[in-house]
Amino acid sequence: MTLPPLVEPGAELTREEVNRYSRHLLIPNLGVIGQRRLKNAKVLVIGAGGLGSPALLYLAAAGIGTLGVIDFDRVDESNLQRQVIHTVESIGDLKVESARQAIARLNPLVKVITHNERLEPDMAVALFSRYDLILDGTDNFATRYLVNDACILADKPYVWGSIFRFEGQASVFWEGAPDGRGLNYRDLYPEPPPPELAPSCSEGGVLGVLCAAIASIMSTEAIKLLTGIGDPLLGRLMVYDALEMSYRELRIRPLRNRQPVTALSDYQAFCGLNTPSAGNDHSVPLISTQQFKSLKDAGKAPVLIDVREPTEWDIVHIDGALLMPKSAEVAAQIIERFGRDTELVITCKSGMRSQAVSSDLRKLGLDKVRNLEGGVLAWVRDIDPALPSY
């Protein structure tokens, strides 16, 4: 069911714009009026990462008049496998600045507004109110709930996408939809999963080209909403499996007895992330990489157990570590293998998963267990930078 266009047509197209967008102008449902709507549109893309990168490029190519991009991160070499708006030359640069330069090279007619900051509750509603449409390409649940609730309070529709390994999802949410199909992200996910069951792409990996597949759906939905053509994914979840090369559509219905969103809250706490310590349980002692190296050099190092996945281990691991991937049973397996009197240090990629395993071990009565602060990434950064990172 077609929704009314989000924006009114902008100024008449110039000769340059007619030449550039001529293939759009030939489409009956879009035409000159639709292109003028795109010219007049203001779209905010949250994150210039895996989903934001291709979405920004295609929205810029399509002629969106004003593109906003918010991201606080810098370009890292590991981003280049999927974040196609960035290049080798932009490694170390702010992602918003790298994206701005790429868009300028692609379509100098587009105005780009950069927001080099983290999206926070105290500024989200005001920021969203400046745009017609929001695209959410973030990779964590806390920000997704923040985006959802801020869009409700700002009365803005948004296009959502998610990717992990070989699978992606996309949908449209708009609590105040004019046709009465009001839905929001909490109708799909009323509660966030436990942090240990919600790995990010940096922990679980993602097929690079999957980003393009989901971002193309998101960009298509944005154009449809802005111009009022086609049937948007409002009330429908599109699920894409790259291994099967299949698309499935699932219906989303309003959740019964859903509490209305009247204010923003602490989304880190809501998702089980104990800010500001970001999940660090202070009952688990930490050992720094320097401290562990000193013990290792002296031949007094505790047993080092790496609880990452085998694929991560194959990329890089600390010499002398033992691989025991995190699972519901791994704490009991560690006790069975090493007993209760062995000094242990647990590590993972950055210290989150190892903290959880260390906490489980202490709950089972082990006192001689510590968490390696910063994990393998910190070891590579501080002790052995010749090793690869990821």
Short mmCIF file of all heavy atoms in Angstrom, two decimals, residues 232-267:
data_model
loop_
_atom_site.label_atom_id
_atom_site.label_comp_id
_atom_site.label_asym_id
_atom_site.label_seq_id
_atom_site.Cartn_x
_atom_site.Cartn_y
_atom_site.Cartn_z
N PRO A 232 6.04 0.17 0.66
CA PRO A 232 7.21 0.09 1.53
C PRO A 232 7.17 -1.15 2.42
O PRO A 232 6.13 -1.79 2.58
CB PRO A 232 7.13 1.37 2.34
CG PRO A 232 5.69 1.73 2.35
CD PRO A 232 5.14 1.28 1.03
N LEU A 233 8.29 -1.44 3.03
CA LEU A 233 8.41 -2.61 3.90
C LEU A 233 7.83 -2.37 5.30
O LEU A 233 8.22 -3.06 6.24
CB LEU A 233 9.89 -3.02 4.03
CG LEU A 233 10.48 -3.85 2.89
CD1 LEU A 233 11.98 -4.08 3.12
CD2 LEU A 233 9.76 -5.20 2.77
N LEU A 234 6.95 -1.44 5.43
CA LEU A 234 6.30 -1.18 6.70
C LEU A 234 5.41 -2.37 7.05
O LEU A 234 4.49 -2.72 6.30
CB LEU A 234 5.47 0.10 6.62
CG LEU A 234 4.84 0.60 7.92
CD1 LEU A 234 5.91 0.95 8.94
CD2 LEU A 234 3.95 1.81 7.65
N GLY A 235 5.68 -3.00 8.19
CA GLY A 235 4.93 -4.18 8.59
C GLY A 235 5.45 -5.47 7.98
O GLY A 235 4.83 -6.52 8.15
N ARG A 236 6.58 -5.39 7.28
CA ARG A 236 7.16 -6.58 6.67
C ARG A 236 8.66 -6.61 6.96
O ARG A 236 9.34 -5.59 6.89
CB ARG A 236 6.95 -6.59 5.16
CG ARG A 236 5.49 -6.66 4.74
CD ARG A 236 5.37 -6.73 3.23
NE ARG A 236 5.76 -5.47 2.60
CZ ARG A 236 6.27 -5.38 1.38
NH1 ARG A 236 6.54 -6.49 0.68
NH2 ARG A 236 6.57 -4.21 0.85
N LEU A 237 9.17 -7.77 7.29
CA LEU A 237 10.60 -7.98 7.52
C LEU A 237 11.14 -8.81 6.37
O LEU A 237 10.68 -9.92 6.11
CB LEU A 237 10.84 -8.71 8.84
CG LEU A 237 12.29 -9.07 9.15
CD1 LEU A 237 13.11 -7.81 9.44
CD2 LEU A 237 12.36 -10.04 10.34
N MET A 238 12.13 -8.27 5.66
CA MET A 238 12.77 -8.99 4.58
C MET A 238 14.04 -9.64 5.12
O MET A 238 14.90 -8.97 5.67
CB MET A 238 13.11 -8.05 3.42
CG MET A 238 13.62 -8.76 2.18
SD MET A 238 12.37 -9.84 1.45
CE MET A 238 11.18 -8.64 0.84
N VAL A 239 14.12 -10.96 4.96
CA VAL A 239 15.27 -11.72 5.45
C VAL A 239 15.98 -12.33 4.25
O VAL A 239 15.38 -13.04 3.45
CB VAL A 239 14.83 -12.83 6.42
CG1 VAL A 239 16.05 -13.62 6.92
CG2 VAL A 239 14.05 -12.24 7.60
N TYR A 240 17.27 -12.05 4.14
CA TYR A 240 18.07 -12.51 3.02
C TYR A 240 19.14 -13.47 3.50
O TYR A 240 19.88 -13.18 4.44
CB TYR A 240 18.72 -11.31 2.32
CG TYR A 240 19.75 -11.67 1.28
CD1 TYR A 240 19.43 -12.46 0.18
CD2 TYR A 240 21.06 -11.19 1.38
CE1 TYR A 240 20.39 -12.77 -0.78
CE2 TYR A 240 22.01 -11.49 0.43
CZ TYR A 240 21.68 -12.29 -0.65
OH TYR A 240 22.62 -12.59 -1.59
N ASP A 241 19.21 -14.65 2.89
CA ASP A 241 20.24 -15.64 3.19
C ASP A 241 21.14 -15.77 1.97
O ASP A 241 20.72 -16.27 0.93
CB ASP A 241 19.59 -16.98 3.52
CG ASP A 241 20.60 -18.01 4.03
OD1 ASP A 241 21.71 -18.08 3.47
OD2 ASP A 241 20.27 -18.76 4.97
N ALA A 242 22.37 -15.31 2.09
CA ALA A 242 23.28 -15.30 0.94
C ALA A 242 23.71 -16.70 0.54
O ALA A 242 23.95 -16.97 -0.65
CB ALA A 242 24.50 -14.44 1.24
N LEU A 243 23.83 -17.61 1.50
CA LEU A 243 24.26 -18.97 1.17
C LEU A 243 23.20 -19.70 0.37
O LEU A 243 23.51 -20.44 -0.57
CB LEU A 243 24.59 -19.74 2.44
CG LEU A 243 25.89 -19.34 3.16
CD1 LEU A 243 26.11 -20.22 4.38
CD2 LEU A 243 27.09 -19.43 2.22
N GLU A 244 21.93 -19.49 0.73
CA GLU A 244 20.84 -20.11 -0.01
C GLU A 244 20.41 -19.28 -1.20
O GLU A 244 19.67 -19.76 -2.06
CB GLU A 244 19.63 -20.31 0.91
CG GLU A 244 19.84 -21.30 2.04
CD GLU A 244 18.60 -21.46 2.89
OE1 GLU A 244 17.61 -20.73 2.63
OE2 GLU A 244 18.62 -22.31 3.79
N MET A 245 20.88 -18.01 -1.24
CA MET A 245 20.39 -17.02 -2.20
C MET A 245 18.87 -16.99 -2.20
O MET A 245 18.19 -17.19 -3.19
CB MET A 245 20.93 -17.33 -3.61
CG MET A 245 20.71 -16.19 -4.62
SD MET A 245 21.26 -14.57 -4.03
CE MET A 245 23.05 -14.81 -3.99
N SER A 246 18.34 -16.74 -1.00
CA SER A 246 16.88 -16.74 -0.82
C SER A 246 16.45 -15.52 -0.04
O SER A 246 17.19 -14.99 0.80
CB SER A 246 16.44 -18.01 -0.08
OG SER A 246 16.93 -18.01 1.25
N TYR A 247 15.25 -15.06 -0.33
CA TYR A 247 14.60 -13.98 0.40
C TYR A 247 13.32 -14.53 1.03
O TYR A 247 12.56 -15.24 0.37
CB TYR A 247 14.24 -12.82 -0.53
CG TYR A 247 15.41 -12.01 -1.01
CD1 TYR A 247 16.09 -12.37 -2.17
CD2 TYR A 247 15.84 -10.88 -0.31
CE1 TYR A 247 17.16 -11.62 -2.63
CE2 TYR A 247 16.90 -10.13 -0.77
CZ TYR A 247 17.57 -10.50 -1.93
OH TYR A 247 18.63 -9.75 -2.37
N ARG A 248 13.11 -14.20 2.29
CA ARG A 248 11.87 -14.57 2.97
C ARG A 248 11.23 -13.30 3.52
O ARG A 248 11.91 -12.41 4.00
CB ARG A 248 12.13 -15.55 4.12
CG ARG A 248 12.59 -16.92 3.68
CD ARG A 248 12.80 -17.83 4.88
NE ARG A 248 13.88 -17.38 5.74
CZ ARG A 248 13.76 -17.10 7.03
NH1 ARG A 248 12.57 -17.21 7.63
NH2 ARG A 248 14.81 -16.72 7.75
N GLU A 249 9.92 -13.26 3.48
CA GLU A 249 9.19 -12.11 4.02
C GLU A 249 8.37 -12.55 5.21
O GLU A 249 7.60 -13.52 5.13
CB GLU A 249 8.29 -11.50 2.95
CG GLU A 249 7.52 -10.29 3.44
CD GLU A 249 6.58 -9.75 2.39
OE1 GLU A 249 7.07 -9.32 1.32
OE2 GLU A 249 5.35 -9.78 2.62
N LEU A 250 8.55 -11.86 6.33
CA LEU A 250 7.80 -12.15 7.55
C LEU A 250 6.97 -10.94 7.92
O LEU A 250 7.43 -9.79 7.82
CB LEU A 250 8.76 -12.50 8.70
CG LEU A 250 9.74 -13.64 8.45
CD1 LEU A 250 10.69 -13.80 9.63
CD2 LEU A 250 9.00 -14.94 8.18
N ARG A 251 5.74 -11.18 8.35
CA ARG A 251 4.85 -10.08 8.74
C ARG A 251 5.18 -9.63 10.17
O ARG A 251 5.48 -10.44 11.05
CB ARG A 251 3.40 -10.53 8.66
CG ARG A 251 2.90 -10.70 7.23
CD ARG A 251 2.71 -9.36 6.56
NE ARG A 251 2.34 -9.50 5.15
CZ ARG A 251 2.07 -8.47 4.36
NH1 ARG A 251 2.12 -7.24 4.87
NH2 ARG A 251 1.78 -8.66 3.09
N ILE A 252 5.13 -8.34 10.37
CA ILE A 252 5.32 -7.75 11.70
C ILE A 252 4.01 -7.10 12.10
O ILE A 252 3.43 -6.31 11.34
CB ILE A 252 6.44 -6.70 11.71
CG1 ILE A 252 7.73 -7.26 11.12
CG2 ILE A 252 6.68 -6.18 13.12
CD1 ILE A 252 8.82 -6.20 10.95
N ARG A 253 3.54 -7.42 13.29
CA ARG A 253 2.29 -6.84 13.79
C ARG A 253 2.56 -6.10 15.10
O ARG A 253 3.49 -6.43 15.83
CB ARG A 253 1.25 -7.94 14.01
CG ARG A 253 0.77 -8.57 12.69
CD ARG A 253 -0.27 -9.65 12.94
NE ARG A 253 -0.86 -10.10 11.69
CZ ARG A 253 -0.31 -11.00 10.89
NH1 ARG A 253 0.87 -11.53 11.20
NH2 ARG A 253 -0.91 -11.36 9.76
N PRO A 254 1.73 -5.11 15.40
CA PRO A 254 1.92 -4.37 16.65
C PRO A 254 1.86 -5.30 17.85
O PRO A 254 1.02 -6.20 17.93
CB PRO A 254 0.74 -3.39 16.66
CG PRO A 254 0.35 -3.24 15.22
CD PRO A 254 0.62 -4.58 14.59
N LEU A 255 2.77 -5.10 18.76
CA LEU A 255 2.84 -5.92 19.96
C LEU A 255 1.71 -5.53 20.91
O LEU A 255 1.46 -4.35 21.16
CB LEU A 255 4.20 -5.71 20.64
CG LEU A 255 4.55 -6.65 21.79
CD1 LEU A 255 4.77 -8.07 21.27
CD2 LEU A 255 5.80 -6.15 22.50
N ARG A 256 1.02 -6.53 21.43
CA ARG A 256 -0.06 -6.25 22.37
C ARG A 256 0.49 -5.65 23.66
O ARG A 256 1.54 -6.05 24.16
CB ARG A 256 -0.81 -7.55 22.70
CG ARG A 256 -1.68 -8.06 21.57
CD ARG A 256 -2.50 -9.25 22.04
NE ARG A 256 -3.37 -9.76 20.99
CZ ARG A 256 -4.22 -10.77 21.17
NH1 ARG A 256 -4.28 -11.38 22.36
NH2 ARG A 256 -4.98 -11.18 20.17
N ASN A 257 -0.25 -4.71 24.20
CA ASN A 257 0.08 -4.08 25.47
C ASN A 257 1.46 -3.42 25.45
O ASN A 257 2.12 -3.31 26.49
CB ASN A 257 0.01 -5.11 26.61
CG ASN A 257 -1.36 -5.75 26.72
OD1 ASN A 257 -2.38 -5.09 26.59
ND2 ASN A 257 -1.39 -7.06 26.95
N ARG A 258 1.89 -3.00 24.28
CA ARG A 258 3.18 -2.30 24.19
C ARG A 258 3.08 -0.95 24.89
O ARG A 258 2.14 -0.20 24.68
CB ARG A 258 3.57 -2.13 22.73
CG ARG A 258 4.74 -1.18 22.52
CD ARG A 258 5.39 -1.32 21.17
NE ARG A 258 4.49 -1.34 20.05
CZ ARG A 258 4.02 -0.27 19.45
NH1 ARG A 258 4.28 0.94 19.92
NH2 ARG A 258 3.24 -0.38 18.38
N GLN A 259 4.06 -0.65 25.73
CA GLN A 259 4.06 0.63 26.43
C GLN A 259 4.51 1.74 25.49
O GLN A 259 5.48 1.58 24.74
CB GLN A 259 5.02 0.57 27.63
CG GLN A 259 4.60 -0.43 28.70
CD GLN A 259 3.24 -0.08 29.29
OE1 GLN A 259 2.99 1.06 29.66
NE2 GLN A 259 2.36 -1.08 29.36
N PRO A 260 3.82 2.86 25.48
CA PRO A 260 4.21 3.97 24.60
C PRO A 260 5.56 4.55 25.01
O PRO A 260 5.92 4.57 26.19
CB PRO A 260 3.09 4.98 24.79
CG PRO A 260 2.51 4.68 26.13
CD PRO A 260 2.64 3.19 26.30
N VAL A 261 6.32 5.00 24.02
CA VAL A 261 7.60 5.64 24.28
C VAL A 261 7.35 7.12 24.52
O VAL A 261 6.84 7.83 23.65
CB VAL A 261 8.56 5.45 23.08
CG1 VAL A 261 9.85 6.24 23.29
CG2 VAL A 261 8.87 3.97 22.88
N THR A 262 7.69 7.59 25.71
CA THR A 262 7.45 9.00 26.06
C THR A 262 8.74 9.75 26.34
O THR A 262 8.74 10.97 26.42
CB THR A 262 6.54 9.09 27.29
OG1 THR A 262 7.16 8.37 28.39
CG2 THR A 262 5.18 8.47 27.01
N ALA A 263 9.85 9.03 26.49
CA ALA A 263 11.14 9.67 26.77
C ALA A 263 12.25 8.68 26.44
O ALA A 263 12.02 7.46 26.38
CB ALA A 263 11.23 10.11 28.23
N LEU A 264 13.44 9.20 26.23
CA LEU A 264 14.59 8.35 26.00
C LEU A 264 15.20 7.94 27.33
O LEU A 264 14.99 8.60 28.36
CB LEU A 264 15.63 9.09 25.13
CG LEU A 264 15.11 9.58 23.77
CD1 LEU A 264 16.24 10.20 22.97
CD2 LEU A 264 14.47 8.44 22.98
N SER A 265 15.96 6.85 27.32
CA SER A 265 16.47 6.31 28.57
C SER A 265 17.93 5.87 28.41
O SER A 265 18.59 6.22 27.44
CB SER A 265 15.60 5.14 29.02
OG SER A 265 15.60 4.11 28.04
N ASP A 266 18.40 5.09 29.36
CA ASP A 266 19.76 4.56 29.33
C ASP A 266 19.75 3.25 28.55
O ASP A 266 19.40 2.20 29.09
CB ASP A 266 20.27 4.34 30.76
CG ASP A 266 21.72 3.91 30.82
OD1 ASP A 266 22.25 3.43 29.78
OD2 ASP A 266 22.34 4.02 31.88
N TYR A 267 20.14 3.29 27.28
CA TYR A 267 20.02 2.12 26.42
C TYR A 267 21.15 1.13 26.63
O TYR A 267 21.00 -0.05 26.35
CB TYR A 267 19.93 2.56 24.96
CG TYR A 267 18.66 3.34 24.71
CD1 TYR A 267 18.65 4.74 24.83
CD2 TYR A 267 17.47 2.70 24.45
CE1 TYR A 267 17.48 5.46 24.66
CE2 TYR A 267 16.28 3.41 24.27
CZ TYR A 267 16.31 4.78 24.38
OH TYR A 267 15.15 5.49 24.22
#
